[in-house]
Amino acid sequence: MPLSIPATELMEPGHTACHGCGATLTMRYVLKALGKNTVMSVPASCWAVIPGELPYRTLDVPMIYTPFAATGASITGIRESLDLQGKQDYNVVGFAGDGGTADIGLQSLSGAMERGHNVFYIMYDNEGYMNTGVQRSASTPAGAYTTTTPVGPMRNYKKQPKKVVADLMIAQGVPYVATATVAYPEDLIRKLKTATEIVGPKFIQILAPCPTGWYFPPEETVEISRLAVKSKMFPLFESIKGKFKLFRPGSPVPVSEYLKKQDRFKHLNEAEIETIQKSVDERWNELVSREKTV
Amino acid sequence: MKSVTEQRLLVTGNEAAAIGVKLSNVRFISAYPITPQTTIVEKLAEMVSKGELKSRYVEVESEHSAMAAVYTAALAGSRSYTATSSHGLLYMHEMLHWTAGMRVPLVTSVVNRAIGPPWNVWADQSDSMNQKDTGWLQVYCESNQETLDTIIAGYKIAENRDVMLPLMSMEDAFVLSHTSEPVTVPNQSMVDEFLPEYKPEFVVDVNNPRGYGSYATPEGPFMELKYDMVSSMERAKSVIRDTLREYSDTFGREYSGLTENYMMDDADYAFITSGTLASTAKYVVNKLRKEGKKVGLIRIKFFRPFPQEEIREALKHVNAAGVIDRSVSFSAGGSLYSDVIASIYRKLDVPVSGFVAGIGGRDVRISDFEHMFSLVQDGTEGMQWIGLKEVD
């Protein structure tokens, strides 16, 4: 059987990521999908550090760093400038974490998507500010412990549901929007290749489990990201020019299967887990009906 | 030889800036509107729309994004421009450090406007004075002609390999931005000859991948790179002098360098100021000279790099000087005042009075200058606020 994942490696050894880092796998697969004609723009995030200290760099593609809030605007400048010089065959990619996307970078992302540049925006979603030591972001799921939503006797963990940026992008009319995880690399790469066919903005939210911030052993990254899909905590979907498609996991599991593997949820009692299960089911039903109505 | 195709137009400062951008063959423009900068970018959008300017014009959602878009466009190989004012410039502050640290030779126009609260759209240099330590070259223009010329010469200075720092060109809100003056517009082919196409040494290229702005540890090159920025700012002084001399020779202007001395040769007293206050100061100098008072003016054109050598030289033989800041600083005096004092410390024994005047667009009248002159003559020390009204 021919390999569906390109053998090309554009990520070299020597990066400084934690063991089992989901964000590192994400970058590796994204580059396999997009190939060497790619320019990466990276804001403050784990990925501002992972490639290595100046002048070293573990990626074989040009990388432009930006301050936290500027990813969307930076890919605007790169794309338009390259087009002016006839370099339309370059892929221009903003590669930002969930904090840099759902919180501080949302204005800039929304602006870039609205203007319709031919760019990719990859949100690697590790559900928190992991580079600064596990603080809450808008993309942190309800119920999670972080260092700014500590548990304690007041049970002051993250109360609000996850802000799903992919939903915002669909609502904004972005022509290609998808979610993916590193547990399904064929799916991830297929989605990027599909996105490549579309001229215009492309937004892909990729769940990137973080052993350090989610408190699980580093060898379980792939398993946890698979459980995120099977438990429907992180549904996989794709919206191509408004046509919505939901991927149904083969053997679904209750959310407790996913939650119990991570110490960030270990404080949750039965009733709290039941509440999370209920909200996950509600969202899943909403996604199913969205598929039918579109 | 002067070209016959040179044009003489009656234009506002903002139109002059836009014409300068067009003549500089800028290829990428991105901006967010703010009063009183808006008419610059409207004019540029119009030029692009009419096909007079072959440039990408990208409307962004904030000034922070505008600066992010232009610096990445420049890194990717296109000469780029933006313009802003007041709160917009403050919103860019983070990006200003980033562009300078990335050594991207942008030119940006800033229409000097007050910072709220309370909201105030009038002339005040507090916005750009707040950016004095971002690593940008700073030019304070006195006329619409200088506004146009500074854009063209500014790209040449910023893009010089010995400099590679961005340049900010200022005009006082409304006094220049919305006031028409006759301006000589150089012809395009002469500008093309003076300012060659933008060719950065390191450009984004997938066949030669590089990292731009990675991280550095305490033992990494961080400190050395900052030192290099400061050294480049210092080296910029001779580049500025040479470039402005070449510009003056080519286009028939009389730009002398980082400062302009007016009636300083035999002066006993000196005013030191920048921007359009210098025009009023020149008028007052003429008036006082007629009264037999030997006074002159040092106009600070470049505030960054700071012209300490020029100031020292010009103040060598004066009895006293007065520095007028059109901005607010919470330091030991105004920003311009502090830097002047620091430049002459233990080198010249000249008393220097400091004045805050004209902030929030308040008029600085001839009588105000005469009052300041009397304070300078008396050797008044410390910061004096000029034209302050009595409040209950």
Side-chain angles (χ1 to χ4, degrees), chain A residues 39-41 62-64 73-88 90-92, chain B residues 27-28 68-80 102-106 197-206 212:
Chain A
V39 182
M40 280 284 165
S41 174
M63 286 191 77
I64 295 178
S74 75
I75 53 180
T76 293
I78 299 165
R79 175 78 276 165
E80 297 302 310
S81 183
L82 290 173
D83 284 357
L84 277 165
Q85 298 163 68
K87 294 173 179 171
Q88 274 85 1
Y90 281 32
N91 299 308
V92 175
Chain B
R27 289 290 161 252
F28 183 84
V70 293
Y71 101 81
T72 51
L75 277 182
S78 306
R79 184 174 286 149
S80 302
M102 284 281 221
R103 312 303 297 262
V104 179
L106 295 171
E197 203 186 326
Y198 177 53
K199 284 238 186 308
E201 199 172 342
F202 304 105
V203 69
V204 169
D205 178 4
V206 294
Y212 295 81

Side-chain angles (χ1 to χ4, degrees), chain B residues 112-125:
Chain B
N112 280 135
R113 168 189 149 182
I115 298 164
W119 287 116
N120 176 311
V121 298
W122 288 275
D124 184 319
Q125 297 172 349

Side-chain angles (χ1 to χ4, degrees), chain B residues 74-295:
Chain B
L75 277 182
S78 306
R79 184 174 286 149
S80 302
Y81 172 85
T82 189
T84 191
S85 185
S86 184
H87 290 262
L89 183 63
L90 304 192
Y91 197 29
M92 280 181 182
H93 178 76
E94 174 187 40
M95 294 308 310
L96 297 178
H97 278 282
W98 199 263
T99 48
M102 284 281 221
R103 312 303 297 262
V104 179
L106 295 171
V107 170
T108 293
S109 294
V110 172
V111 185
N112 280 135
R113 168 189 149 182
I115 298 164
W119 287 116
N120 176 311
V121 298
W122 288 275
D124 184 319
Q125 297 172 349
S126 297
D127 53 358
S128 56
M129 283 292 175
N130 266 250
Q131 317 307 327
K132 65 192 169 71
D133 298 321
T134 53
W136 283 60
L137 290 84
Q138 286 202 342
V139 186
Y140 289 83
C141 297
E142 192 198 346
S143 66
N144 293 353
Q145 183 71 58
E146 193 169 66
T147 299
L148 185 156
D149 295 333
T150 298
I151 307 271
I152 301 167
Y155 277 108
K156 185 145 173 159
I157 293 163
E159 291 170 12
N160 188 297
R161 292 285 152 86
D162 281 343
V163 181
M164 290 305 283
L165 288 169
L167 182 143
M168 197 181 283
S169 174
M170 266 60 76
E171 346 161 31
D172 283 331
F174 301 105
V175 185
L176 293 186
S177 68
H178 289 63
T179 304
S180 296
E181 287 178 348
V183 165
T184 302
V185 179
N187 84 54
Q188 185 69 61
S189 60
M190 281 171 76
V191 174
D192 292 347
E193 205 170 311
F194 173 81
L195 179 66
E197 203 186 326
Y198 177 53
K199 284 238 186 308
E201 199 172 342
F202 304 105
V203 69
V204 169
D205 178 4
V206 294
N207 298 311
N208 186 13
R210 291 175 186 276
Y212 295 81
S214 181
Y215 81 100
T217 57
E219 290 311 309
F222 183 90
M223 197 160 161
E224 289 69 22
L225 288 168
K226 296 297 167 187
Y227 174 77
D228 190 61
M229 284 175 74
V230 173
S231 309
S232 299
M233 184 65 84
E234 201 54 33
R235 277 200 301 274
K237 289 178 177 175
S238 63
V239 175
I240 290 163
R241 291 182 196 114
D242 292 349
T243 309
L244 290 183
R245 195 174 304 123
E246 187 192 343
Y247 192 90
S248 297
D249 291 347
T250 310
F251 300 102
R253 310 276 189 271
E254 286 175 17
Y255 298 129
S256 46
L258 283 78
T259 58
E260 178 196 353
N261 289 344
Y262 185 76
M263 311 276 266
M264 279 304 297
D265 287 348
D266 63 341
D268 292 334
Y269 300 95
F271 283 122
I272 302 174
T273 193
S274 63
T276 53
L277 284 185
S279 300
T280 316
K282 284 174 188 171
Y283 182 89
V284 174
V285 164
N286 290 344
K287 188 166 183 284
L288 292 170
R289 284 267 172 178
K290 277 185 193 147
E291 295 165 15
K293 289 156 182 158
K294 287 165 82 177
V295 57

Side-chain angles (χ1 to χ4, degrees), chain B residues 19 29 40 223 341:
Chain B
I19 294 166
I29 300 161
I40 301 180
M223 197 160 161
I341 295 284

